[in-house]
Amino acid sequence: MRKNVAIIGGGQTHHAARRHDVNQVELVNEAVRAALADAQMTIDEIDSVLFGNMEFFEGCHMTDCWLVDGSGAYGKPGLKITTGGTVGATIVGAGVHHVASGLFNKALCVGFEKQEEGDTGAILSGVAHPLFGRSLAGAAVGYFAMMATSYMAAWGAKEEHSAMVAVKARQNARKNEYAHLKLDISIQDALNSRMLSYPIRMLDMCPASNGACAMILADEKTARDRCAKPVWIRAMDTAHNEQFELDWRDVTTKKPIFSRVSASRLYRKLGVDDPSKYFDVFEIYEPATWAEMVWYEDLALCRPGDGFKLVENNMTAIDGPIPVNPSGGVLSTNCIGASAMLRIWEAALQIRGDAGGHQVVSKDIRRALATAYGGTNWTVLTALSGTMDD
Amino acid sequence: MSERVAIVGVAQTVFSPKRPDVNYAELAYEAISLVLESTGLSVEADIDNAVSCSHDIWDGQTISNIGITDVIGGHLRNEEKLAMDGSTAVYYATIGILSGEFDCTLALAHTKMSQTNRNIVNNTAFDPIYSRLLGLDFTSAAALQAQRFMSRYNISEKQIAEVVIKNLANATRNPWVHNKGFYTLDQALDSPVISSPIRKMDIAPDSDGAVAIVMASEKKALKVTDKPVWIKGVGACYDAHYLGDRDLSECYALRSAAEQAYRMAEIDHPRDEIDLVELGDEFSYQELLWLEGLGICGSGEAADLTCRGFTSFDGALPVNPSGGLLAGVPTNVAGLNRVAEAALQIRGEAGDRQVGDVRIAVAQGHSGFCGQHQCVIVLGRE
Amino acid sequence: MKSAKDNVELISIPMVVDVPYRFAAGKYMTRFLTELRDNGKFYGIRCPLCNRVQLPPRIVCAVCHVKNSDWIELGNEGTLVGFTIMYLPLTDPTTGKPHEPPFAYGSVRLDGSDSVIDHFLNVEPVVEHIRIGMRMKVALKEREDRVGDLGDILHFDPVT
């Protein structure tokens, strides 16, 4: 990257299952105003607006065009980016490219989803090829169920382990004022929740949320002049996986796959030997409990097959040595087009020390890693730091 | 721009009304494999990332860049999709290369308009609460814009028809397009009215096709080709969504996008400095309106300019010598095809449609009805 | 954020967006579906560089970035690599109607293929009856009922 880029402000909505009180324009505008207020900036100062969501989830073609009043893009350069679940992070990457190009100093990144306005299950089944598998596609639930049966058969994990992840997420969410599912649940509650697709139960899956996230990225001079606590984007990496080979459902695969390839590239860029020590906190995109345990392994926080043991030993709890998703993660809030950006924004808040009730206090947070997940196994990884010195 | 970015390769499929023999991945691969072959580049060794333009609703697939991941070289690599006109792929690829993150980018746009219904698809681009229930589509919205434009500047249907006659005649020189011929004014004016004042011949016809372009940093470009086409300037801008918020005879967003691009390219007098324009004439009147937005002439003057032959194939400033979108180029692919045509002209490789020596060319693309989002690319030989 | 208790009337507009499509199967899938319909056979396609046999057949090997070339006849038996029992009446996007739960479905690697294919499993939807690694056999519709889409496969039966 030719120039250093920092997050100088951000904001999010209070995420919820029902937001009939606002239309899509108004929902997006809540996050944009929060981000501008956080950066102490007006929309007039923004050079470019990068916007995205799950295309057509709300039954609208070209949402960027309708939502110009909410996003602030009217009269400005901007782009609509859509890469599925990863889009929130892809937009941030686009913001980084815009600022690093030297053509723009302040880029506003906006991601949103108003899931209540469409049929997410049916549309997600549309991810499958129209002539190969679409008629029996099981949306995201069926896919993660197959990952789970594979994980249990391969490593000996039990349903209790996924329940532990489910509980950790919702208990953390209770500390996060913006989270959607703030549930005071026990492991037994998770194990008793309704079976959706064996072994995935209701509490093993992310909710369908309405919400938005916005962030302002700036060049080094603007960041230093205008922001008391800039958070620097140190490196990003994107890896998509091929269309028909859904490799994450066979957890024993030895093939180079998106998550591991992307992590190793990112670690090489930064000179990371042990990510569990290099990064102080992780915000990962886990649409299902089992995905969180696989992420631990693919991010090399532990050896393959040991992911469930991290949970068992409370290693990834908010006060554990490797805090993962103190915000409650995607399991507590999934407004898809915003979800990957929320991971980055939550990671930035931890570095700033501004996460409020879910701030990690057991250790000093200097560096964070955020992951995105979407498509047919795609990811975008973002490494953040409070300083430019590492 | 301190660093420079160039187009180093261009390829397009034949554009035809219907390609039932291929799915959209296979269609895209026709253009991708051609551009790789012609540049001698390989995905593995040379291409750092890909930027594609398409829409889920046109492709009929959720996250429709899933369908092109394999053919664009996206596996375990970076591919980003813009749900916008193809011109924005060039805009964003330029920014990506200038950022220093990428050295060489593959840009793609594809659409198979034949697999669905443009009126239904385009109706869903209107906000669902206020405008969609009126049943508007891009043609009826364009009719409102055309009517406003024509009445404000006293432009006649005959003047608009001159655009159709010019572009369809130009298209006879273009082997890639399917809607072409030498028509008389009477024939154009006899074409059935679809949404007055727009007639069938005023509308870019449904088409299937794809365009692929390779772009590179200066260092990489000079290794790949001895005929790089330099990106001199880029610009983009959104206008308001609600038609009632806009004076449809103005092109506020295009003026802003053009101003950004010209400033970067150090163009002070577009009419004198630009040798060729390829623009998005999705509807014939738009060629006139966009020429005004591009600063080629004053408001309301483009019709007269066109009738005087200024924009003709052998005129002072040829506009759409390829035949433009009216010749049959798919939506979304539209703007990338404009850039491709402009690049071919600069390289002197436009075949029978080569207009002579082109040093500076402008390509324009737009997304949304009545050109809500505008993108301008200035290309040059030096 | 206001909620319903503020007692303000909130209007929401119901709408069904119905977009018709006709998808071209393309060169590779057409041959696959034709063989399936006419001869009840499965064909994969092999990459000339890495030799992996891909199902469904597709134009490019995404790993090697080369055009796939060699058609390979696959067995109609394979091994179960993943499964689930679905309790949700998920909407079938090709019909708009829900599938009746619970039902078992899984991923089967057909003999000779490096890819897996997903379909219903004709087993009682009880976890104890399904095991990763079990052998499965394709059951097709009768020839006269096959139309050339994946619905020509009824399900997978366990090999006993």
Side-chain angles (χ1 to χ4, degrees):
Chain A
M1 213 65 75
R2 209 157 264 144
K3 285 167 179 275
N4 294 318
V5 182
I7 299 165
I8 63 162
Q12 57 185 303
T13 56
H14 287 88
H15 313 295
R18 291 283 168 267
R19 286 301 307 274
H20 279 309
D21 59 316
V22 287
N23 65 25
Q24 295 174 35
V25 180
E26 293 158 351
L27 181 75
V28 161
N29 194 244
E30 287 181 11
V32 169
R33 282 181 188 278
L36 290 168
D38 183 65
Q40 297 179 294
M41 222 166 239
T42 67
I43 192 71
D44 295 338
E45 295 183 79
I46 298 295
D47 301 324
S48 182
V49 179
L50 294 321
F51 183 91
N53 70 320
M54 291 292 292
E55 220 189 331
F56 216 70
F57 259 46
E58 289 80 12
C60 293
H61 181 35
M62 301 180 170
T63 40
D64 56 322
C65 286
W66 176 27
L67 303 189
V68 286
D69 295 337
S71 68
Y74 168 66
K76 293 187 191 300
L79 295 172
K80 157 90 179 261
I81 300 168
T82 70
T83 55
T86 57
V87 66
T90 309
I91 295 164
V92 173
V96 169
H97 299 150
H98 273 63
V99 174
S101 74
L103 300 178
F104 306 89
N105 292 327
K106 296 178 248 30
L108 172 64
C109 304
V110 187
F112 92 103
E113 217 65 71
K114 200 151 188 272
Q115 288 211 54
E116 67 185 339
E117 301 198 356
D119 180 350
T120 300
I123 298 175
L124 271 181
S125 293
V127 165
H129 189 284
L131 301 168
F132 197 87
R134 184 174 289 186
S135 64
L136 43 99
V141 181
Y143 177 66
F144 288 112
M146 292 212 246
M147 171 199 240
T149 51
S150 156
Y151 194 91
M152 291 164 80
W155 311 130
K158 303 273 184 266
E159 286 189 64
E160 283 75 10
H161 294 104
S162 72
M164 291 174 198
V165 177
V167 170
K168 172 174 82 71
R170 280 45 174 265
Q171 290 292 351
N172 285 351
R174 291 178 67 214
K175 305 178 173 81
N176 176 0
E177 65 163 309
Y178 297 100
H180 171 188
L181 285 188
K182 299 173 188 139
L183 304 176
D184 187 10
I185 53 164
S186 66
I187 288 175
Q188 208 50 51
D189 292 333
L191 290 172
N192 289 342
S193 67
R194 184 160 73 96
M195 187 69 85
L196 302 179
S197 181
Y198 173 84
I200 301 271
R201 294 172 183 274
M202 186 70 113
L203 287 170
D204 289 318
M205 282 305 292
C206 57
S209 315
N210 301 308
C213 182
M215 285 183 7
I216 297 164
L217 306 186
D219 65 304
E220 188 165 350
K221 183 172 184 313
T222 307
R224 296 209 188 278
D225 288 351
R226 298 288 299 271
C227 181
K229 291 186 275 190
V231 176
W232 303 93
I233 295 179
R234 303 298 292 133
M236 292 186 79
D237 190 83
T238 297
H240 289 188
N241 225 73
E242 58 182 308
Q243 180 174 14
F244 293 106
E245 311 293 330
L246 298 174
D247 296 316
W248 236 18
R249 72 182 149 197
D250 176 10
V251 299
T252 60
T253 185
K254 296 278 186 288
K255 284 160 70 174
I257 62 169
F258 72 109
S259 43
R260 297 174 205 159
V261 167
S262 193
S264 75
R265 281 199 301 239
L266 188 88
Y267 296 163
R268 207 177 318 126
K269 280 182 205 167
L270 292 167
V272 176
D273 290 328
D274 181 351
S276 70
K277 296 206 166 56
Y278 184 90
F279 295 106
D280 303 306
V281 67
F282 295 82
E283 277 287 339
I284 64 172
Y285 196 124
E286 29 49 301
T289 47
W290 297 91
E292 173 155 336
M293 294 182 271
V294 174
W295 264 126
Y296 296 163
E297 297 167 19
D298 288 2
L299 291 174
L301 305 183
C302 61
R303 283 179 308 194
D306 281 353
F308 70 98
K309 294 177 190 161
L310 289 191
V311 181
E312 196 174 83
N313 297 320
N314 281 320
M315 301 287 280
T316 56
I318 191 165
D319 54 358
I322 315 169
V324 177
N325 289 2
S327 67
V330 176
L331 282 170
S332 303
T333 305
N334 192 21
C335 23
I336 311 180
S339 287
M341 195 182 296
L342 281 169
R343 305 281 67 69
I344 299 172
W345 176 233
E346 286 290 348
L349 284 172
Q350 291 287 344
I351 289 171
R352 283 174 27 162
D354 289 343
H358 59 288
Q359 178 70 41
V360 173
V361 291
S362 56
K363 61 193 221 178
D364 192 24
I365 305 291
R366 295 169 304 135
R367 294 190 282 231
L369 179 66
T371 77
Y373 176 81
T376 41
N377 287 330
W378 297 352
T379 195
V380 180
L381 304 184
T382 309
L384 304 169
S385 174
T387 91
M388 288 298 306
D389 302 332
D390 50 22
Chain B
M1 286 189 270
S2 52
E3 299 291 328
R4 300 208 295 170
V5 177
I7 291 172
V8 299
V10 168
Q12 41 196 342
T13 64
V14 167
F15 304 115
S16 64
K18 195 174 167 89
R19 285 292 305 274
D21 59 319
V22 287
N23 60 33
Y24 71 81
E26 292 163 359
L27 181 66
Y29 192 64
E30 287 181 11
I32 293 167
S33 55
L34 269 175
V35 82
L36 293 175
E37 211 172 285
S38 68
T39 52
L41 297 173
S42 85
V43 167
E44 199 75 61
D46 300 294
I47 306 291
D48 294 325
N49 70 315
V51 178
S52 69
C53 285
S54 65
H55 288 276
D56 286 10
I57 189 169
W58 278 110
D59 287 339
Q61 171 153 8
T62 304
I63 320 175
S64 71
N65 47 334
I66 286 172
I68 50 137
T69 304
D70 297 3
V71 298
I72 206 170
H75 179 57
L76 301 180
R77 300 148 61 83
N78 187 333
E79 185 270 322
E80 291 168 65
K81 169 181 153 177
L82 307 174
M84 309 189 87
D85 175 69
S87 53
T88 60
V90 174
Y91 175 90
Y92 184 48
T94 302
I95 287 168
I97 293 169
L98 287 177
S99 78
E101 185 75 354
F102 309 114
D103 236 9
C104 192
T105 302
L106 176 58
L108 168 78
H110 69 267
T111 296
K112 288 189 75 182
M113 295 179 79
S114 69
Q115 68 176 17
T116 181
N117 177 310
R118 75 194 285 170
N119 307 80
I120 295 173
V121 164
N122 288 336
N123 174 249
T124 63
F126 290 81
D127 93 275
I129 299 159
Y130 188 67
S131 341
R132 194 184 298 180
L133 298 166
L134 299 172
L136 285 164
D137 63 3
F138 283 18
T139 306
S140 43
L144 296 171
Q145 185 168 41
Q147 199 70 262
R148 166 71 185 146
F149 178 55
M150 291 164 72
S151 78
R152 179 170 179 188
Y153 296 112
N154 202 20
I155 297 162
S156 69
E157 284 195 47
K158 281 183 186 168
Q159 288 173 300
I160 301 282
E162 291 289 351
V163 174
V164 178
I165 291 163
K166 169 180 77 74
N167 287 0
L168 297 189
N170 287 351
T172 59
R173 302 166 179 271
N174 184 351
W176 304 95
V177 293
H178 63 89
N179 191 32
K180 50 182 109 176
F182 298 101
Y183 293 94
T184 64
L185 202 55
D186 286 344
Q187 283 173 312
L189 293 173
D190 276 349
S191 171
V193 176
I194 303 296
S195 182
S196 94
I198 291 182
R199 296 170 185 276
K200 189 158 186 288
M201 285 180 76
D202 293 313
I203 306 171
D206 281 7
S207 307
D208 293 355
V211 172
I213 281 183
V214 178
M215 297 173 62
S217 64
E218 177 161 14
K219 200 169 155 207
K220 176 86 180 177
L222 295 175
K223 282 186 208 155
V224 177
T225 177
D226 52 7
K227 281 195 210 168
V229 175
W230 302 103
I231 305 293
K232 310 289 285 181
V234 297
C237 187
Y238 280 102
D239 208 327
H241 178 74
Y242 295 104
L243 295 174
D245 286 347
R246 297 166 55 180
D247 181 336
L248 293 174
S249 66
E250 293 289 345
C251 20
Y252 162 72
L254 180 54
R255 283 183 199 285
S256 171
E259 199 178 290
Q260 296 160 36
Y262 294 160
R263 198 185 316 128
M264 212 183 287
E266 297 176 351
I267 288 176
D268 300 320
H269 305 98
R271 182 161 165 170
D272 303 327
E273 295 176 56
I274 295 165
D275 301 317
L276 169 118
V277 175
E278 281 282 346
L279 55 70
D281 54 334
E282 188 181 3
F283 301 95
S284 53
Y285 76 91
Q286 288 182 340
E287 176 160 318
L288 306 179
L289 190 54
W290 301 161
L291 280 173
E292 295 169 14
L294 286 168
I296 302 300
C297 59
S299 295
E301 293 174 12
D304 186 44
L305 212 59
T306 301
C307 294
R308 284 195 284 120
F310 188 83
T311 61
S312 300
F313 188 82
D314 47 9
L317 174 55
V319 176
N320 286 340
S322 65
L325 305 185
L326 290 175
V329 178
T331 185
N332 312 323
V333 177
L336 196 59
N337 176 251
R338 307 275 59 67
V339 173
E341 285 292 335
L344 289 171
Q345 291 282 352
I346 287 173
R347 288 167 73 123
E349 293 174 357
D352 289 345
R353 60 197 189 285
Q354 183 70 42
V355 295
D357 193 35
V358 177
R359 305 176 77 83
I360 295 281
V362 166
Q364 175 266 0
H366 57 95
S367 308
F369 46 84
C370 299
Q372 191 189 342
H373 180 276
Q374 294 279 352
C375 181
V376 175
I377 312 285
V378 180
L379 305 101
R381 192 186 300 157
E382 280 88 36
Chain C
M1 178 179 118
K2 291 209 167 84
S3 64
K5 67 177 181 287
D6 295 317
N7 206 20
V8 178
E9 184 188 0
L10 300 171
I11 292 176
S12 62
I13 298 168
M15 193 182 297
V16 174
V17 177
D18 192 0
V19 187
Y21 293 99
R22 179 166 281 273
F23 293 113
K27 293 165 187 156
Y28 295 80
M29 206 78 91
T30 291
R31 170 137 182 216
F32 168 81
L33 293 171
T34 313
E35 288 285 354
L36 180 64
R37 182 192 61 199
D38 298 347
N39 305 315
K41 286 181 175 170
F42 284 90
Y43 274 84
I45 198 156
R46 186 164 62 197
C47 168
L49 287 185
C50 71
N51 285 323
R52 69 180 178 139
V53 177
Q54 299 151 67
L55 186 71
R58 66 204 76 159
I59 186 168
V60 166
C61 171
V63 173
C64 304
H65 311 127
V66 295
K67 216 164 173 173
N68 287 317
S69 47
D70 311 325
W71 289 85
I72 307 290
E73 188 182 338
L74 306 173
N76 60 357
E77 289 189 15
T79 306
L80 187 69
V81 299
F83 73 94
T84 184
I85 296 162
M86 182 61 75
Y87 290 83
L88 292 173
L90 291 175
T91 311
D92 177 344
T94 59
T95 63
K97 296 195 177 81
H99 283 298
E100 196 61 40
F103 55 90
Y105 83 81
S107 299
V108 174
R109 193 182 310 281
L110 289 178
D111 296 341
S113 168
D114 289 289
S115 309
V116 297
I117 181 168
D118 290 352
H119 221 289
F120 301 110
L121 307 179
N122 185 30
V123 292
E124 205 182 326
V126 175
V127 175
E128 290 70 28
H129 293 201
I130 312 170
R131 180 178 49 79
I132 288 176
M134 70 196 280
R135 296 286 294 166
M136 307 298 293
K137 188 180 192 331
V138 177
L140 296 178
K141 285 181 181 165
E142 294 300 323
R143 171 65 191 90
E144 58 272 22
D145 296 332
R146 298 203 291 260
V147 295
D149 68 27
L150 224 60
D152 290 349
I153 305 172
L154 286 170
H155 51 250
F156 283 101
D157 285 315
V159 178
T160 45

